Amino acid sequence: MSVHPRIVRSIPFWILVAGSVAAIGGGTYILVEKLSNMEATILDNTATGVDVYVGQIWGVFGGILLGAGVVGLALALATAALSSVFPREPRRTAGEQDRHAAVPASEHVISERAASEPAVSTETTAVSAADTTAPDPATTSTLESPSNDPQQR
C-alpha cells in the first residue's frame, strides 16, 4: 500500500503545477523586460511611440500571465490540501479486507433486501382438473379466440 496520497501520482495535477510555474516565469520575464526597456528609453529621451504604448500593453500582458500562474499555483496547492484532508478510499486493516473478501457482494445485497422487505409466501395452490376445461380469457392469446372467429384474428 502506498504511503503517498493519490494526488502525488496525478498527471493533471503535475501539469497544472508545471504550467503555473511556467506562466509565473514567463509573465515575470515579459513584465520586467518590457518595463525596464520602456523606463530606459524614456530616461534616455530616445523613446518612441512603439516603445511607450506597445511596451505598456506587453507589460499588462506579462502581469496577466503572472497573475494567471499565481492563481493556478494556488489552485494546485488547494487541491493538494483538500486531497490530504478528504482521502478517496477509507483505509482498511488486514482483518477487514479478509472479511470483505470472504463474503461475495451478492450476499450483502440479499441480506440487505431480506432485512428491508417483508416475507412473501412462495406456496402454490393446486388447481382442480375440472377448472382447466374452459379456456381462461386472461390466458388466451389474441390469435386464438375461444370461438375461433376469424374476425378476431
Side-chain angles (χ1 to χ4, degrees), residues 7 14-15 28-29 36 41 46 50 58 65 72 96 113 115 119 122:
I7 195 79
W14 288 111
I15 290 173
T28 303
Y29 173 76
S36 64
T41 56
T46 60
V50 173
W58 276 104
L65 198 58
E96 287 178 344
R113 285 184 186 165
T122 58

Side-chain angles (χ1 to χ4, degrees), residues 57-71:
I57 298 301
W58 276 104
V60 169
F61 175 70
I64 290 171
L65 198 58
L66 175 67
V70 169
V71 168

